[in-house]
Amino acid sequence: MVSDKIKLTPQNAPHRALYHALGLTEEEISRPLVGIVSSYNEIVPGHMNIDKIVDAVKLGVAMAGGTPIVFPAIAVCDGIAMGHVGMKYSLVTRDLIADSTEAMALAHGFDALVMVPNCDKNVPGLLMAAARLNLPTVFVSGGPMLAGHVDGCKTSFSSISEAVGEFNAGKITEEKLREYELKTCPSCGSCSGMYTANSMNCLTEVLGMGLRGNGTIPAVYSARIELAKHAGMAVMDMVKRDIRPRDIMTEGAFRNALTVDMALGCSTNSMLHLPAIAHECGIEIDLDIANSISEKTPNLCHLAPAGRTYVEDLDEAGGVYAIMHELNKKGLLNTDCMTVTGKTVGENIANTPNLDPDVIRPIENPYSETGGIAVLKGNLAPEGSVVKRSAVLPEMLRHEGPARVFQCEEDAQAAINAGKINPGDVVVIRYEGPKGGPGMREMLNPTSAIMGMGLGSSVALITDGRFSGATRGACIGHVSPEAASGGPIGIVREGDIISIDIPGNKLELKIDEQEYQRRMAEFSPKEKPLSGYLKRYAALVSSGAKGAVLN
């Protein structure tokens, strides 16, 4: 065991003295030391119940013969950070989480880890750390929030975001807006739709790093406490069998994750996080792979914001394994991949039928024959851009319109709120990429305002930033290279015609080639004064097309 190096010999007496200072007994010191990485805090709704999950994990580890020891991980609530400088500090925490977990795990000689994340950057950050450390590791999340209810209909965080746009357009009263405010988020947990947190937690199951139900059992259900105990037991079995993250997160596992991503209609942020996690495993994922997988993967789910079903409904329908069971009917998964259960994917999903065809479409009757996410390329995005195709209205799958150009999110939001965006426009928000933001802010407020004001069927938005999983509509993010790196999005002028062809995977600036080359030759990206962590991050971060990993 790793910890034996610091606890067995007479020379390790000083280490043991400090273990005794923690109140550990000789029996506890002699057992495998299991780090429980807790992202509990009192500011993120998805994390306020994690203390109970951690206690259950500890019990599971102890029951299986290990010694559980808790240490923390940070987490930012994207909803609270949205629309102001705080959002610059969301994506950047992914690397802080991975780095600090690496430091804590190696500095203290842990033999294994149980990761207890829940929200957007917390899950991929800890997956990156797991890959980097390669110690036996299991994931168990805090679980999804229950859906809210307004006027007899289920609601989620995107509902309140779009309600603000409806209020600004005079479509609802302040009293109705207040009702959405009070009823949209009724419990702790990660927001109830297929947003980034729930997307990534579901994908832990597909990657083989989480037990069944990790992505879907609601936060407030007692079944999640049971799941946490089983996660603690499972990691001890992994220690005994020497099963490690890089045995699990293979190239085949990442292809499985992309396949289920397409079927489930996950957040576009998965196209940032999966390449970054794979990178830590020594596996490079090209965005072109996403389109090739999408071409043969049917979209089976329309959870919010794409539809009117929620993660709680997915859980009742059989969860992630039921989706995998459907996909496996056409041989779309690599079923030989190992998982934290000690069994293969094929063994795990063998008897997991689809219990509700209204939530999970049978593979013979999909929403579409192609996947929920598309990667668009063209002279406006030579390295690629990403759109959640399953959440785009049919009439906006192809669109041409004049560019309305903004240098930051705030300027675009002000124009939308003031009624200055017209049907047919293509809103362009630049200098919001990983380097230019810095931090690649999510654009939920502008996209929700467009939808709430009734412009979703006629207005598109493109950005070198990114979108919340709660975003719906013809919203194309991750445009790469970004403006701050000299990308073509930086040469777009007010009124230029932009062509969007989602079925054709194209994003084009409709100017002649000579003018395009002249503008590119003359283009000099603007620079922002930076300090602190954001300055370091901007200097090190790569393109969004490469997962915004740090070089």
Side-chain angles (χ1 to χ4, degrees), residues 220-442:
V220 296
Y221 284 12
S222 296
R224 185 152 290 275
I225 300 297
E226 296 180 41
L227 180 73
K229 292 174 185 175
H230 284 128
M233 295 181 219
V235 81
M236 292 306 301
D237 185 58
M238 292 178 72
V239 171
K240 292 170 188 172
R241 300 174 63 172
D242 195 29
I243 299 173
R244 297 170 182 264
R246 287 184 215 161
D247 300 325
I248 295 169
M249 290 193 286
T250 61
E251 184 174 351
F254 282 103
R255 285 185 171 273
N256 284 348
L258 285 166
T259 299
V260 176
D261 190 331
M262 297 301 171
L264 187 51
C266 289
S267 164
T268 51
N269 283 314
S270 62
M271 292 295 103
L272 274 179
H273 300 321
L274 287 174
I277 300 160
H279 180 75
E280 294 289 350
C281 295
I283 299 166
E284 299 304 317
I285 293 180
D286 189 309
L287 285 183
D288 289 336
I289 296 174
N291 276 347
S292 66
I293 290 175
S294 178
E295 286 171 6
K296 60 183 180 182
T297 305
N299 179 227
L300 305 181
C301 295
H302 270 190
L303 279 73
R308 296 188 176 276
T309 52
Y310 296 79
V311 180
E312 63 190 57
D313 302 312
L314 178 60
D315 189 62
E316 293 290 333
V320 175
Y321 278 20
I323 296 170
M324 296 174 75
H325 186 83
E326 287 289 341
L327 292 170
N328 200 41
K329 290 177 181 178
K330 290 193 174 181
L332 296 176
L333 296 177
N334 184 330
T335 56
D336 294 328
C337 294
M338 179 53 62
T339 73
V340 293
T341 65
K343 299 178 181 179
T344 65
V345 167
E347 291 173 309
N348 284 344
I349 68 172
N351 297 299
T352 55
N354 178 3
L355 302 177
D356 190 343
D358 291 330
V359 177
I360 303 170
R361 287 275 188 95
I363 199 162
E364 300 83 10
N365 181 35
Y367 283 101
S368 66
E369 294 293 341
T370 52
I373 289 177
V375 174
L376 314 185
K377 288 189 173 183
N379 68 357
L380 194 48
E383 293 179 0
S385 60
V386 181
V387 62
K388 189 169 184 174
R389 172 166 44 193
S390 60
V392 179
L393 292 170
E395 58 266 37
M396 290 299 292
L397 289 171
R398 290 185 174 88
H399 179 76
E400 279 195 7
R404 304 297 307 280
V405 182
F406 303 95
Q407 308 302 319
C408 64
E409 177 189 1
E410 288 84 354
D411 290 351
Q413 185 70 50
I416 296 166
N417 291 346
K420 295 181 179 179
I421 302 302
N422 303 309
D425 286 348
V426 178
V427 175
V428 178
I429 306 177
R430 60 194 181 197
Y431 292 104
E432 291 286 8
K435 183 184 296 291
M440 204 177 187
R441 286 196 287 182
E442 291 184 344

